Amino acid sequence: MNAHEIEYEIYGSEMQYVEIALDPGESVIAEAGSMMMMESDIRMETIFGDGSGSEHGLMGKLMGAGKRLLTGESLFMTVFTNEGRHKEKVAFASPYPGRIIPVDLTTLSGRIICQKDAFLCAAKGVSLGIAFQKRIGVGFFGGEGFIMQKVEGDGLAFLHTGGTVTERVLGPGEMIRVDTGCLVALTHGVDYDIEFVKGIKTALFGGEGLFFATLRGPGRVWLQSLPFSRMADRIIAASRPGGRKNEGSLLGGFFDGNNR
C-alpha cells in the first residue's frame, strides 16, 4: 500500500469529529482549518497540493494548487505527522452539523468522486484532483455539481455531509434523481448528468430549483439531507428585516422589536 495505514474513531452525533491515531512516522492530510486537537509529538506542516507524491517538481505542485482553486478550496493542504516514539492522536472537526463518512478506497476501486466541499481529511498518500464532467449540460447547468473532487488512492478518506446521510446502491441501469446540493459522493461507475425540470410552472414555482442530478447505476451513491448552501440560504433569509415575521407563535410579530 502507498497510503499510510491509520486508525480512527468518530465521536459525537450532530457535530461530529474524527480522532485519528498515528504510529511513529505516519501522516494524515487535511483541509486547512479543520484540525481540532493534536497531541504533543504531532508536527503540523502546510504544503502545496496534497502531499501524495503524484505532483513532481514545483510546476506539478503549482498545477495541483491551481486545481484546488478551481474547486473553491484553499491553495494549501496541511500534513500532520507523528514524530514521536509512540502512537499519537490528532482530531478533525465537522464544519457544520452533519455526519463524517469514513471511506476505504481499496474497496471502491481506488477512486471516489465527491462534492468540492465534502473532503475533510485522509491518510497521506491519498491524492485529490478535479473530476470534470463529460457532458456539456453538466458544465453549464450543474451548479453545485459542476466541479467535483476526485479522491484517489488505497487508503482511508473522510467526507463530511450535512444533516442526515444515506447510502444508495444502484443496480445496472437503475436511476434516481436528486437535488444537486444533496449529492455528496458517488463511485466511479455511476453515470452522472444534469436534467432540466420539465414544465414551466414546476421550474418557476416548484421551489426545488431548475435542475437536478440524474444518477444511473451500477454503483454506490451518498446523499445528504442538508446541503450547506441550503442552510446558508435559510440563515440569510431569516436575518433580513422582516425575514422572521411569519415564524413562531401568533404573538411573535406582536412582540417583535419593530412593533415596540
PDB file of all heavy atoms in Angstrom, residues 112-125:
ATOM      1  N   ILE A 112     -13.111   7.728  -5.701  1.00  0.00           N
ATOM      2  CA  ILE A 112     -14.461   8.199  -5.417  1.00  0.00           C
ATOM      3  C   ILE A 112     -14.550   9.653  -5.860  1.00  0.00           C
ATOM      4  O   ILE A 112     -13.551  10.386  -5.830  1.00  0.00           O
ATOM      5  CB  ILE A 112     -14.809   8.043  -3.918  1.00  0.00           C
ATOM      6  CG1 ILE A 112     -16.297   8.246  -3.683  1.00  0.00           C
ATOM      7  CG2 ILE A 112     -13.997   8.996  -3.063  1.00  0.00           C
ATOM      8  CD1 ILE A 112     -16.741   7.897  -2.273  1.00  0.00           C
ATOM      9  N   ILE A 113     -15.730  10.053  -6.316  1.00  0.00           N
ATOM     10  CA  ILE A 113     -15.957  11.429  -6.755  1.00  0.00           C
ATOM     11  C   ILE A 113     -16.919  12.071  -5.766  1.00  0.00           C
ATOM     12  O   ILE A 113     -17.961  11.491  -5.448  1.00  0.00           O
ATOM     13  CB  ILE A 113     -16.528  11.464  -8.179  1.00  0.00           C
ATOM     14  CG1 ILE A 113     -15.509  10.866  -9.158  1.00  0.00           C
ATOM     15  CG2 ILE A 113     -16.875  12.896  -8.604  1.00  0.00           C
ATOM     16  CD1 ILE A 113     -16.036  10.672 -10.562  1.00  0.00           C
ATOM     17  N   CYS A 114     -16.567  13.271  -5.268  1.00  0.00           N
ATOM     18  CA  CYS A 114     -17.386  13.893  -4.233  1.00  0.00           C
ATOM     19  C   CYS A 114     -17.572  15.381  -4.503  1.00  0.00           C
ATOM     20  O   CYS A 114     -16.859  15.967  -5.328  1.00  0.00           O
ATOM     21  CB  CYS A 114     -16.765  13.679  -2.854  1.00  0.00           C
ATOM     22  SG  CYS A 114     -15.144  14.450  -2.630  1.00  0.00           S
ATOM     23  N   GLN A 115     -18.531  15.975  -3.795  1.00  0.00           N
ATOM     24  CA  GLN A 115     -18.724  17.412  -3.872  1.00  0.00           C
ATOM     25  C   GLN A 115     -17.456  18.133  -3.452  1.00  0.00           C
ATOM     26  O   GLN A 115     -16.684  17.638  -2.629  1.00  0.00           O
ATOM     27  CB  GLN A 115     -19.877  17.843  -2.963  1.00  0.00           C
ATOM     28  CG  GLN A 115     -21.263  17.541  -3.519  1.00  0.00           C
ATOM     29  CD  GLN A 115     -21.727  18.592  -4.529  1.00  0.00           C
ATOM     30  OE1 GLN A 115     -20.933  19.360  -5.062  1.00  0.00           O
ATOM     31  NE2 GLN A 115     -23.022  18.613  -4.784  1.00  0.00           N
ATOM     32  N   LYS A 116     -17.258  19.334  -3.991  1.00  0.00           N
ATOM     33  CA  LYS A 116     -15.992  20.037  -3.802  1.00  0.00           C
ATOM     34  C   LYS A 116     -15.718  20.428  -2.351  1.00  0.00           C
ATOM     35  O   LYS A 116     -14.579  20.691  -1.997  1.00  0.00           O
ATOM     36  CB  LYS A 116     -15.944  21.278  -4.688  1.00  0.00           C
ATOM     37  CG  LYS A 116     -17.076  22.267  -4.476  1.00  0.00           C
ATOM     38  CD  LYS A 116     -16.974  23.418  -5.464  1.00  0.00           C
ATOM     39  CE  LYS A 116     -18.074  24.452  -5.275  1.00  0.00           C
ATOM     40  NZ  LYS A 116     -19.411  23.895  -5.578  1.00  0.00           N
ATOM     41  N   ASP A 117     -16.758  20.492  -1.505  1.00  0.00           N
ATOM     42  CA  ASP A 117     -16.528  20.867  -0.105  1.00  0.00           C
ATOM     43  C   ASP A 117     -16.743  19.706   0.859  1.00  0.00           C
ATOM     44  O   ASP A 117     -16.830  19.912   2.067  1.00  0.00           O
ATOM     45  CB  ASP A 117     -17.439  22.037   0.288  1.00  0.00           C
ATOM     46  CG  ASP A 117     -18.916  21.702   0.143  1.00  0.00           C
ATOM     47  OD1 ASP A 117     -19.222  20.645  -0.434  1.00  0.00           O
ATOM     48  OD2 ASP A 117     -19.757  22.496   0.604  1.00  0.00           O
ATOM     49  N   ALA A 118     -16.821  18.478   0.340  1.00  0.00           N
ATOM     50  CA  ALA A 118     -17.114  17.326   1.193  1.00  0.00           C
ATOM     51  C   ALA A 118     -15.865  16.734   1.845  1.00  0.00           C
ATOM     52  O   ALA A 118     -15.955  16.111   2.901  1.00  0.00           O
ATOM     53  CB  ALA A 118     -17.833  16.235   0.395  1.00  0.00           C
ATOM     54  N   PHE A 119     -14.688  16.912   1.237  1.00  0.00           N
ATOM     55  CA  PHE A 119     -13.474  16.286   1.760  1.00  0.00           C
ATOM     56  C   PHE A 119     -13.070  16.918   3.083  1.00  0.00           C
ATOM     57  O   PHE A 119     -13.033  18.145   3.216  1.00  0.00           O
ATOM     58  CB  PHE A 119     -12.335  16.405   0.749  1.00  0.00           C
ATOM     59  CG  PHE A 119     -11.024  15.864   1.254  1.00  0.00           C
ATOM     60  CD1 PHE A 119     -10.774  14.506   1.250  1.00  0.00           C
ATOM     61  CD2 PHE A 119     -10.060  16.715   1.755  1.00  0.00           C
ATOM     62  CE1 PHE A 119      -9.580  13.991   1.731  1.00  0.00           C
ATOM     63  CE2 PHE A 119      -8.861  16.231   2.234  1.00  0.00           C
ATOM     64  CZ  PHE A 119      -8.610  14.862   2.217  1.00  0.00           C
ATOM     65  N   LEU A 120     -12.744  16.076   4.076  1.00  0.00           N
ATOM     66  CA  LEU A 120     -12.303  16.554   5.384  1.00  0.00           C
ATOM     67  C   LEU A 120     -10.833  16.217   5.621  1.00  0.00           C
ATOM     68  O   LEU A 120     -10.021  17.105   5.882  1.00  0.00           O
ATOM     69  CB  LEU A 120     -13.166  15.950   6.496  1.00  0.00           C
ATOM     70  CG  LEU A 120     -12.861  16.397   7.921  1.00  0.00           C
ATOM     71  CD1 LEU A 120     -13.131  17.892   8.095  1.00  0.00           C
ATOM     72  CD2 LEU A 120     -13.669  15.589   8.935  1.00  0.00           C
ATOM     73  N   CYS A 121     -10.460  14.943   5.520  1.00  0.00           N
ATOM     74  CA  CYS A 121      -9.075  14.533   5.736  1.00  0.00           C
ATOM     75  C   CYS A 121      -8.887  13.132   5.164  1.00  0.00           C
ATOM     76  O   CYS A 121      -9.851  12.461   4.810  1.00  0.00           O
ATOM     77  CB  CYS A 121      -8.707  14.572   7.223  1.00  0.00           C
ATOM     78  SG  CYS A 121      -9.718  13.493   8.281  1.00  0.00           S
ATOM     79  N   ALA A 122      -7.619  12.694   5.106  1.00  0.00           N
ATOM     80  CA  ALA A 122      -7.319  11.372   4.555  1.00  0.00           C
ATOM     81  C   ALA A 122      -5.915  10.970   4.972  1.00  0.00           C
ATOM     82  O   ALA A 122      -5.091  11.811   5.367  1.00  0.00           O
ATOM     83  CB  ALA A 122      -7.434  11.369   3.028  1.00  0.00           C
ATOM     84  N   ALA A 123      -5.641   9.685   4.854  1.00  0.00           N
ATOM     85  CA  ALA A 123      -4.287   9.189   5.094  1.00  0.00           C
ATOM     86  C   ALA A 123      -3.347   9.762   4.040  1.00  0.00           C
ATOM     87  O   ALA A 123      -3.723   9.951   2.884  1.00  0.00           O
ATOM     88  CB  ALA A 123      -4.267   7.665   5.040  1.00  0.00           C
ATOM     89  N   LYS A 124      -2.115  10.068   4.462  1.00  0.00           N
ATOM     90  CA  LYS A 124      -1.147  10.577   3.490  1.00  0.00           C
ATOM     91  C   LYS A 124      -0.894   9.526   2.417  1.00  0.00           C
ATOM     92  O   LYS A 124      -0.722   8.339   2.711  1.00  0.00           O
ATOM     93  CB  LYS A 124       0.159  10.948   4.183  1.00  0.00           C
ATOM     94  CG  LYS A 124       1.143  11.627   3.237  1.00  0.00           C
ATOM     95  CD  LYS A 124       2.412  12.068   3.935  1.00  0.00           C
ATOM     96  CE  LYS A 124       3.343  12.749   2.944  1.00  0.00           C
ATOM     97  NZ  LYS A 124       4.608  13.187   3.582  1.00  0.00           N
ATOM     98  N   GLY A 125      -0.871   9.970   1.170  1.00  0.00           N
ATOM     99  CA  GLY A 125      -0.764   9.064   0.032  1.00  0.00           C
ATOM    100  C   GLY A 125      -2.013   9.084  -0.816  1.00  0.00           C
ATOM    101  O   GLY A 125      -1.980   8.728  -1.986  1.00  0.00           O
TER     102      GLY A 125
END
